[in-house]
Amino acid sequence: MTGVAIVGAGVISAAYLRNLCMFPELRVVAVDDLDTDLAAAVAADFGVPVSGGLPRVLAVPEVELVVNLTVPSAHAEVGLAVLRAGKHVYGEKPLALDVDQGEKLLAEAAGLGLRVGAAPDTFLGAGLQSAARALRSGLIGTPVAVSVAMQSMGPERWHPSPEYLYGPGGGPLFDLGPYYLTALVALLGPAVRVAGSTRIAHAWREIGSGPKAGQSFPVRVATHVHALIDFASGANVSATFSFDSPVDRRRIEITGTEGVLSLPDPNTYGGPLLIRAPHAERWRELPVSGTTIGRGLGILDLARSIRAGTPHRASGTLALHVLEIMTAITASAEQGEFRRLRTTVSRPSPVTPHWPHA
């Protein structure tokens, strides 16, 4: 059994804890937050024995793997502290604010013989794994082009403290882009160059829920991002990530030489998965098989891989490549030119339809 600690007891922690406390191979033994009262309350809710500040949590001998759920600006700093305490780390997205920070984190882990894992792990779910099987089978021939849309009015409508989502490491590209880009890399392999165009539609946003409802805050990152991404496989991607749209859209469509595949929202673990054959008037739904357990699958896979000495799938290397794609899109928008990528990654190995139970 692998001892796990949670660092950051905010909104997303409950989704992780529900699943991590369910996996028999994991035992959550500690919860940390800057607000130690919040950490204690969350720990009590889930029957976790230890809570407190980061030094106390890292000092618990049973903790082997730390899940870093802090705000994006703290991901690299907290990750380094975890590694230097001799623990493996799995972090929320993005891996870090920039590629240099991400590379430093991975280098530190390699030097210490430790592992870095990173969200999102949604590509391990039934929907995207079924899509991967469809692509490998040649169901739509050779992928040629991909259309991506992630459009909404932004998270301030429902999030009680959304300010950080409009600062460094936030915005639609860094907040939700990792789900789409990780899915694409898992399905198509590494990207090689990108171009981007960005804008900010509203300089200020208003909080729509919670104790701060009605308060306004400044926007410090682009809220509408359009990107062109060329993959080493030859597939070309056109992607829009926006918090400025009055209509919600969440889709990935892969056009192949023999048909089109419509993927489920990559911020979910299930379906539907649709195909449209040449000259067909309608979409046809494909069967979807695999797990829909939810957040924490990447952590379970990491823990198992540590025991088995095998590569884990939601890896720091994958997250670093996605991070470079995002930072290069931003740099391209500023400089007005395509940016070539220096990182690369292999596609994560597929899982069986019965994983993680077999």
Side-chain angles (χ1 to χ4, degrees):
M1 184 177 291
T2 300
V4 176
I6 300 290
V7 175
V11 173
I12 198 61
S13 64
Y16 276 95
L17 282 160
R18 277 192 294 270
N19 290 334
L20 296 182
C21 290
M22 177 183 67
F23 296 140
E25 294 152 271
L26 306 179
R27 179 171 180 254
V28 182
V29 297
V31 175
D32 156 70
D33 196 88
L34 291 173
D35 182 343
T36 55
D37 289 338
L38 175 62
V42 170
D45 286 344
F46 289 92
V48 177
V50 178
S51 68
L54 185 60
R56 183 183 183 194
V57 165
L58 293 181
V60 176
E62 293 83 3
V63 173
E64 185 177 349
L65 170 59
V66 174
V67 180
N68 180 7
L69 304 181
T70 57
V71 296
S73 59
H75 284 178
E77 180 183 357
V78 171
L80 286 171
V82 170
L83 293 171
R84 289 165 182 169
K87 321 287 186 181
H88 306 283
V89 63
Y90 181 98
E92 252 298 341
K93 42 77 186 169
L95 178 68
L97 292 186
D98 58 51
V99 174
D100 288 344
Q101 285 185 348
E103 288 179 330
K104 182 178 180 181
L105 188 68
L106 298 193
E108 187 84 14
L112 294 169
L114 296 168
R115 298 207 190 195
V116 175
D121 60 5
T122 47
F123 70 92
L124 297 173
L128 294 177
Q129 285 294 312
S130 296
R133 289 191 287 271
L135 289 174
R136 288 196 303 272
S137 73
L139 194 60
I140 62 167
T142 301
V144 175
V146 183
S147 175
V148 173
M150 194 304 298
Q151 297 173 240
S152 75
M153 294 182 68
E156 73 275 12
R157 294 170 297 162
W158 57 268
H159 199 296
S161 295
E163 298 92 331
Y164 77 94
L165 294 170
Y166 289 89
L173 179 60
F174 281 79
D175 181 37
L176 292 175
Y179 296 103
Y180 293 78
L181 297 171
T182 301
L184 292 177
V185 174
L187 292 169
L188 302 173
V192 292
R193 70 170 190 163
V194 305
S197 176
T198 64
R199 65 164 294 177
I200 297 174
H202 308 284
W204 291 80
R205 296 269 174 156
E206 183 177 301
I207 300 174
S209 66
K212 295 188 287 185
Q215 294 183 19
S216 296
F217 61 92
V219 173
R220 296 180 289 146
V221 293
T223 51
H224 185 90
V225 179
H226 186 73
L228 302 176
I229 310 170
D230 292 341
F231 279 74
S233 64
N236 305 119
V237 175
S238 173
T240 299
F241 306 100
S242 182
F243 284 164
D244 294 328
S245 172
V247 177
D248 275 17
R249 300 178 72 198
R250 317 284 174 114
R251 66 173 176 81
I252 299 175
E253 287 185 4
I254 302 177
T255 298
T257 53
E258 304 297 330
V260 181
L261 202 62
S262 178
L263 277 57
D265 179 351
N267 193 10
T268 66
Y269 292 82
L273 176 65
L274 307 175
I275 186 171
R276 193 160 180 173
H279 311 300
E281 295 183 359
R282 295 180 179 85
W283 293 93
R284 175 170 60 90
E285 188 163 354
L286 296 174
V288 169
S289 58
T291 182
T292 57
I293 288 173
R295 280 178 168 81
L297 289 172
I299 298 163
L300 177 63
D301 182 61
L302 173 56
R304 287 180 173 180
S305 297
I306 291 168
R307 294 284 183 264
T310 56
H312 56 290
R313 295 175 175 88
S315 69
T317 305
L318 173 59
L320 180 66
H321 187 60
V322 169
L323 175 62
E324 189 187 11
I325 293 172
M326 295 188 297
T327 56
I329 289 169
T330 302
S332 170
E334 294 171 352
Q335 299 166 6
E337 61 184 14
F338 269 94
R339 301 275 297 190
R340 295 203 68 84
L341 305 177
R342 70 172 190 259
T343 64
T344 191
V345 67
S346 298
R347 280 182 291 183
S349 61
V351 300
T352 69
H354 302 293
W355 187 90
H357 304 295

